[in-house]
Amino acid sequence: MPRVAIVTGGGTGIGAAAARLLAANGLGVVVVGRRREPLDGVCAELGHAAVAVAADLGEPAAPGFVVEQALAAFGRVDVVVNNAAVIRNGPLDSFTRDEFDRHYAVNVAGPFFLVAAALPSLRASEDAAVVNVSSSVGSMVKPGSMLYGSSKAALEYLTRAWAYELAEDGIRVNCIAPGPVDTPIHATYSDDLEATHADLARRIPLQRMGNVDDLAAWVWFLVAPESRWTTGNVIHVDGGQVLGLPASAGG
Ligand SMILES: NC(=O)c1ccc[n+]([C@@H]2O[C@H](COP(=O)([O-])OP(=O)(O)OC[C@H]3O[C@@H](n4cnc5c(N)ncnc54)[C@H](OP(=O)(O)O)[C@@H]3O)[C@@H](O)[C@H]2O)c1
């Protein structure tokens, strides 16, 4: 029976591209997000290989519900891709307590309790993998990035902690840290997308923003048998962003 992956944020952007590639490689896929419509769109493309679960991963009951639904649909969970996240940038004194809690609820507690809820199934799998999706700002400070970036730094720490703790169960845990990728997420904080994209691309040593397939390829690789001796890594898939500004832009 094929392996089954839960992909959070699987209705759009990087998550949808990852869901498509996992399904193309024979996995059953459970796509999770708050909005039904984009999830149904991905499932319509993938047919019997995919099911949609609408859930808000910032809510405490969501992780258990998602795993329950995955088991009801496919009877197993072998892979968890923690990709859903929220972002708002701003200075220290601009954030409300609710915004702080929401970032940590969705970006940290969601992945934490989803993996915990999936553990019995992951332990039963002969080839289990967790892939967390962080960000280049999990390891580099950018203006206004403190709340989102610190939540991603926490996810990177969890990657190493889970990799260590779960190694004896044969569960591999890795993380990709994307640089700027052209997805709907930028519209959630920018009023001028064109200017935001131009500014982001200007700062990338490889001179362009990423596209979703640049990232999906790494999600698949970290689930694929070829990465079977790799665990606890945070892999920067970012056009060189963490190295600094392009030399031509002043380094
Ligand atoms: N694009 C970039 O430049 C970039 C750079 C670095 C890192 N990343 C990371 O890449 C990942 C994917 O983002 P993306 O760029 O592909 O943007 P995206 O298309 O906006 O994806 C975010 C997804 O998360 C889901 N989501 C948000 N809050 C949720 C919640 N409370 N419960 C369940 N699902 C929720 C959204 O669906 P609903 O709105 O329907 O819930 C959406 O499908 C994120 O972890 C992001 O931090 C992106």
Side-chain angles (χ1 to χ4, degrees):
M1 194 171 170
R3 286 193 291 166
V4 172
I6 294 173
V7 181
T8 70
T12 62
I14 295 166
R20 288 186 188 102
L21 193 53
L22 293 172
N25 280 284
L27 277 78
V29 179
V30 180
V31 285
V32 185
R34 289 164 302 178
R35 289 164 298 152
R36 188 93 225 175
E37 202 185 324
L39 301 174
D40 286 344
V42 171
C43 289
E45 277 176 52
L46 300 181
H48 292 309
V51 298
V53 178
D56 180 341
L57 288 159
E59 295 297 324
F65 173 71
V66 168
V67 171
E68 241 174 62
Q69 296 297 303
L71 292 176
F74 291 112
R76 59 189 290 167
V77 175
D78 307 85
V79 171
V80 177
V81 180
N82 283 310
N83 167 76
V86 291
I87 176 172
R88 188 174 81 72
N89 291 327
L92 174 57
D93 57 2
S94 75
F95 295 105
T96 64
R97 180 64 191 237
D98 281 351
E99 282 175 318
F100 183 97
D101 290 346
R102 184 75 183 150
H103 274 73
Y104 275 77
V106 178
N107 300 2
V108 185
F112 191 101
F113 290 105
L114 185 58
V115 171
L119 256 189
S121 302
L122 296 173
R123 284 192 169 120
S125 170
E126 288 186 353
D127 195 2
V130 174
V131 181
N132 294 325
V133 180
S134 176
S135 164
S136 49
V137 299
S139 58
M140 68 188 282
V141 173
K142 284 179 64 190
S145 69
M146 64 190 74
L147 183 49
Y148 172 73
S150 64
S151 72
K152 292 300 193 180
L155 189 60
E156 294 185 10
Y157 182 89
L158 291 174
T159 300
R160 292 185 286 272
W162 292 342
Y164 186 70
E165 182 163 315
L166 303 178
E168 288 179 3
D169 292 315
I171 303 169
R172 299 185 300 106
V173 186
N174 289 290
C175 179
I176 57 170
V181 183
D182 188 1
T183 72
I185 207 167
H186 300 288
T188 65
Y189 69 90
S190 165
D191 295 332
D192 185 348
L193 266 187
E194 208 175 315
T196 299
H197 283 183
D199 184 52
L200 288 168
R202 192 176 57 77
R203 296 165 184 275
I204 303 297
L206 287 180
Q207 306 280 316
R208 69 163 172 91
M209 286 181 69
N211 62 58
V212 293
D213 296 327
D214 294 327
L215 282 300
W218 279 94
V219 173
W220 163 238
F221 183 71
L222 292 171
V223 168
E226 285 75 11
S227 63
R228 67 178 78 83
W229 210 45
T230 301
T231 196
N233 282 282
V234 177
I235 296 167
H236 292 272
V237 187
D238 64 356
Q241 185 183 28
V242 294
L243 303 174
L245 290 173
S248 58

